[in-house]
Amino acid sequence: GQQLNQSPQSMFIQEGEDVSMNCTSSSIFNTWLWYKQDPGEGPVLLIALYKAGELTSNGRLTAQFGITRKDSFLNISASIPSDVGIYFCAGLLPGNNDMRFGAGTRLTVKP
Amino acid sequence: SAVISQKPSRDICQRGTSLTIQCQVDSQVTMMFWYRQQPGQSLTLIATANQGSEATYESGFVIDKFPISRPNLTFSTLTVSNMSPEDSSIYLCSVAGGPDTQYFGPGTRLTVL
């Protein structure tokens, strides 16, 4: 019930294409976070969303907190080779710092 | 955001031995966490490191296997005890930022032979 379903599992795209990935759950989350992890590194926070319906951008990245508080998506526009990595969604459950992670989306960008 | 460092960055260990991983933060933080990331997998919370009291472990993780210290608000250690090849993972510490975010260290890549 508190698990996050992240899709797609992997994506192979051409440089310049747009990318979209999402996370869904049967549980309500207070906060949605999107992280990127490069090989050999820890996850780096990209975008944090705190309110249902919130739409936030960070450069070419845009993320939205679903109205039902049970889902979120991340879009990357005009992808570039350095976008390669694994993207994780994470949701914070109400009332505490209990964070759940999606399984990750592995993005490959072909030049 | 806080700057987090971990030592060692990687290690190769023999079965049956123990390894202690250190996590240092450049500012005082209330909440610190330890995660495990098995090869090709997502992150799983091991425990919350509490300053001045015993860590709070998640289901499936026990203190005898993963003892944790938190002597002050900027430092914590995680020990992986009596290691087996199944313990080969990346171990990550994180800190609660504000509001409602967590920032991660660079991770410790552990290989157990």
Side-chain angles (χ1 to χ4, degrees):
Chain A
Q2 295 176 339
Q3 299 306 309
L4 299 185
N5 301 306
Q6 184 171 351
S7 65
Q9 188 174 24
S10 61
M11 301 183 75
F12 296 83
I13 63 169
Q14 207 70 37
E15 182 177 0
E17 289 183 354
D18 296 343
V19 172
S20 185
M21 59 191 79
N22 69 84
C23 273
T24 62
S25 175
S26 58
S27 297
I28 289 174
F29 290 88
N30 272 0
T31 300
W32 282 94
L33 306 168
W34 286 93
Y35 291 87
K36 182 190 179 204
Q37 186 175 29
D38 292 326
E41 303 289 331
V44 173
L45 182 64
L46 299 173
I47 291 180
L49 302 158
Y50 302 110
K51 292 193 303 187
E54 180 180 354
L55 184 72
T56 297
S57 293
N58 178 6
R60 293 177 295 106
L61 278 61
T62 302
Q64 184 157 32
F65 192 145
I67 290 289
T68 64
R69 296 170 63 193
K70 296 180 179 180
D71 63 310
S72 177
F73 72 74
L74 174 71
N75 288 342
I76 305 173
S77 63
S79 59
I80 59 178
S82 62
D83 290 334
V84 166
I86 303 176
Y87 292 79
F88 290 100
C89 64
L92 267 173
L93 290 166
N96 54 43
N97 266 289
D98 190 350
M99 184 182 289
R100 304 299 163 109
F101 283 83
T105 296
R106 184 179 295 272
L107 178 64
T108 302
V109 180
K110 291 178 278 190
Chain B
S1 63
V3 176
I4 306 167
S5 60
Q6 285 185 235
K7 287 186 196 178
S9 58
R10 57 177 62 229
D11 207 342
I12 301 173
C13 300
Q14 294 296 321
R15 180 195 297 261
T17 62
S18 297
L19 176 72
T20 296
I21 302 167
Q22 299 179 4
C23 179
Q24 180 75 53
V25 190
D26 70 340
S27 58
Q28 293 186 338
V29 292
T30 304
M31 304 198 71
M32 292 179 76
F33 308 91
W34 286 98
Y35 286 82
R36 181 175 72 184
Q37 186 178 25
Q38 293 178 304
Q41 302 295 315
S42 188
L43 286 77
T44 301
L45 181 64
I46 297 172
T48 302
N50 301 309
Q51 197 267 328
S53 64
E54 198 170 276
T56 306
Y57 289 84
E58 296 299 303
S59 176
F61 298 96
V62 295
I63 188 171
D64 290 345
K65 176 67 176 177
F66 297 103
I68 287 171
S69 79
R70 179 91 192 270
N72 56 52
L73 293 176
T74 64
F75 186 78
S76 177
T77 67
L78 169 75
T79 298
V80 186
S81 303
N82 188 25
M83 290 183 285
S84 66
E86 293 71 35
D87 293 321
S88 297
S89 291
I90 300 172
Y91 291 86
L92 296 145
C93 72
S94 76
V95 302
D100 289 344
T101 56
Q102 288 188 21
Y103 299 99
F104 287 85
T108 296
R109 184 178 293 272
L110 171 62
T111 302
V112 184
L113 303 177

